[in-house]
Amino acid sequence: MKTTLSYAALVLASSLSINASHAQTTEHPASEKAKQLAHEFLLIDTHIDVPYRINEHWENVAEATKDGDFDYPRAVEGGLNAPFMSIYIPASYEQSGGSIQLANQLIDSMEALVGRAPDKFAMAYSTDDIKQNKKKGLISLALGMENGTPIEGDLKNLQHFYDRGIRYITLAHSQSNHIADSSYDIRRQWHGLSPFGKELVKAMNKTGVMVDISHVSDEAFYQAVEISATPVIASHSSLRKYTPGFERNMSDDMLLALKKNGGVIQINFGSSFVAQQANRYGDMLEKRIEAVKKKYGEDSAETQRRIEELKANNPYPYATLEDVLDNIDHVVQLIGIDHVGVGSDFDGVGDSLPVGLKDVSDYPNLVQGLLDRGYSDADIKQILGGNLMRVWEANEAYAKTH
């Protein structure tokens, strides 16, 4: 789990071991049709944090695993064809150095996974690879870099990571870097993109690497969509409409700009991304704990008793599948069916996933929810993967002619 400041509420929830709402129940139990569609259609999830997960605690995800949100058997059960495996680089590497080494190690781990289980997985470097791997019954492993720090101000590194399979780059993460300001960082040193960041966006277009605007500040987003000659993605974001004041998510004005650009927002499943109560939970509980410490002393027995009582009486308010569906609905109603997809953040948001969407076996529940809300089979096909493929193909086509 990515324990940065951006995930403070999620870390707190996990540290409390609150599981009251963790049951695998849903208001939309998947019908046979939902399961059929999940397996028939191309299902792309643009953000799954397996590489960093197994770098910290190795498991063979080609087999069933005890921990985590992804493994091969559950992926097959859920109908997942093409996860973008996140090459996640913590923000601290901008100062400490070593980001290129870590990125290469994480990419190596995905290539090793394919090497261990070539009957189950295959690398995917293009939209054609995605299609061919599906025909062969293999799960495609595509790669996206979360945090552009490993570019290290040198466009030669962009080419290096393209050659290694990176097909999108999230420009920044939880702190501003040499490319862009982060939505989480109050220091807006660039007021959007840095001069190098503006050049990098153009170079990504020409190289065939999708520009990912998840995590960046609003100014950086608007500059990126203005500069980019190709459609951008938000690889794992949700909507500010349901989390007021949470800049990490996208506003309605940003969605309208995304439509004009031709891009797509891939909805993040994390409870704090899709529901206001979960989004504010960490801050609420921390304020109450601080008040208790102030009144009864930092380390007193009474303070500890009251903190435990607070935690017991205020369980983490997990979002539900309905909240995720509400986010999808709003995108469709505002900018159309062509601009929304799936970017779950599985293995990246700890124990904060919604009821009914706890791991990669649960995509049929999402399909059932879409069916219940009146989405056609063609609509669902676009949401599950068609929209992302359109954007990726547009980036490929531009790079071939530039």
Side-chain angles (χ1 to χ4, degrees):
M1 180 174 144
K2 299 175 290 191
T3 54
T4 67
L5 61 92
S6 59
Y7 294 93
L10 309 179
V11 174
L12 180 57
S14 296
S15 71
L16 300 182
S17 298
I18 295 167
N19 295 298
S21 300
H22 201 281
Q24 294 286 331
T25 59
T26 174
E27 296 178 28
H28 298 272
S31 64
E32 287 306 311
K33 179 176 181 179
K35 294 175 184 177
Q36 176 193 339
L37 294 182
H39 286 83
E40 175 185 342
F41 295 151
L42 179 62
L43 202 169
I44 301 174
D45 188 323
T46 46
H47 200 87
I48 296 183
D49 276 290
V50 166
Y52 199 74
R53 164 192 159 196
I54 65 174
N55 186 63
E56 289 195 309
H57 176 67
W58 191 85
E59 292 182 293
N60 182 11
V61 294
E63 308 292 343
T65 59
K66 178 182 177 182
D67 299 318
D69 309 326
F70 174 97
D71 57 40
Y72 179 78
R74 284 182 286 172
V76 170
E77 181 182 351
L80 179 61
N81 303 117
F84 270 78
M85 293 299 184
S86 174
I87 306 305
Y88 164 62
I89 309 299
S92 60
Y93 279 74
E94 183 78 12
Q95 283 72 46
S96 69
S99 64
I100 292 176
Q101 180 177 344
L102 176 59
N104 280 305
Q105 287 174 346
L106 296 180
I107 295 169
D108 287 347
S109 73
M110 293 298 96
E111 293 176 346
L113 176 58
V114 171
R116 288 194 306 274
D119 58 328
K120 298 176 180 178
F121 299 106
M123 300 303 297
Y125 305 118
S126 67
T127 54
D128 282 343
D129 286 348
I130 298 288
K131 296 171 188 175
Q132 292 304 313
N133 290 340
K134 187 176 188 302
K135 288 180 181 178
K136 295 174 184 176
L138 299 172
I139 293 179
S140 290
L141 301 184
L143 302 176
M145 179 180 286
E146 186 178 22
N147 185 6
T149 283
I151 302 302
E152 292 193 352
D154 189 341
L155 294 181
K156 290 180 181 178
N157 290 327
L158 171 64
Q159 185 64 50
H160 166 76
F161 284 113
Y162 175 85
D163 292 342
R164 293 227 57 195
I166 294 296
R167 292 300 178 264
Y168 76 70
I169 295 175
T170 318
L171 301 180
H173 191 249
S174 61
Q175 295 176 23
S176 299
N177 60 16
H178 70 284
I179 297 166
D181 291 334
S182 166
S183 62
Y184 291 119
D185 196 336
I186 61 173
R187 303 165 299 166
R188 301 301 166 93
Q189 58 177 322
W190 305 118
H191 300 288
L193 301 177
S194 70
F196 176 75
K198 293 174 182 178
E199 291 305 310
L200 179 63
V201 168
K202 296 175 184 177
M204 289 170 67
N205 291 165
K206 293 177 181 179
T207 306
V209 178
M210 291 178 282
V211 176
D212 178 19
I213 53 75
S214 288
H215 280 287
V216 302
S217 69
D218 287 10
E219 286 179 294
F221 163 80
Y222 284 113
Q223 290 169 22
V225 296
E226 180 180 355
I227 293 168
S228 181
T230 62
V232 306
I233 67 169
S235 68
H236 59 305
S237 295
S238 299
L239 305 185
R240 214 172 294 174
K241 173 181 172 64
Y242 300 104
T243 56
F246 186 44
E247 190 177 348
R248 169 67 177 81
N249 277 344
M250 294 184 69
S251 69
D252 283 3
D253 286 343
M254 294 169 78
L255 291 176
L256 293 169
L258 185 74
K259 178 180 181 179
K260 184 177 180 181
N261 164 267
V264 61
I265 176 174
Q266 305 285 102
I267 297 299
N268 189 317
F269 292 172
S271 290
S272 69
F273 288 84
V274 295
Q276 182 175 4
Q277 189 176 7
N279 184 262
R280 295 182 176 177
Y281 171 81
D283 288 341
M284 175 275 294
L285 199 58
E286 285 176 3
K287 287 178 182 177
R288 293 189 182 184
I289 288 172
E290 286 305 310
V292 168
K293 289 179 178 178
K294 186 175 181 180
K295 184 172 183 179
Y296 297 101
E298 185 78 22
D299 300 313
S300 71
E302 181 64 13
T303 293
Q304 294 306 310
R305 186 189 71 79
R306 288 179 176 269
I307 288 175
E308 291 305 315
E309 189 176 77
L310 264 177
K311 294 176 180 179
N313 292 335
N314 293 275
Y316 185 71
Y318 289 99
T320 67
L321 174 57
E322 296 299 323
D323 295 310
V324 175
L325 293 167
D326 286 347
N327 277 257
I328 293 173
D329 276 354
H330 185 68
V331 177
V332 173
Q333 291 161 9
L334 184 67
I335 62 173
I337 193 68
D338 297 331
H339 302 282
V340 66
V342 174
S344 65
D345 215 348
F346 282 138
D347 278 329
V349 290
D351 183 30
S352 76
L353 290 158
V355 177
L357 289 173
K358 291 297 186 184
D359 63 37
V360 292
S361 69
D362 285 335
Y363 297 111
N365 293 340
L366 179 69
V367 174
Q368 186 62 52
L370 293 169
L371 288 169
D372 290 348
R373 292 197 178 199
Y375 286 85
S376 69
D377 291 6
D379 292 337
I380 293 170
K381 185 176 183 180
Q382 284 186 256
I383 293 169
L384 293 185
N387 291 334
L388 190 281
M389 287 289 277
R390 170 186 61 80
V391 170
W392 191 355
E393 286 168 349
N395 277 265
E396 289 176 329
Y398 184 88
K400 286 179 181 178
T401 59
H402 293 78

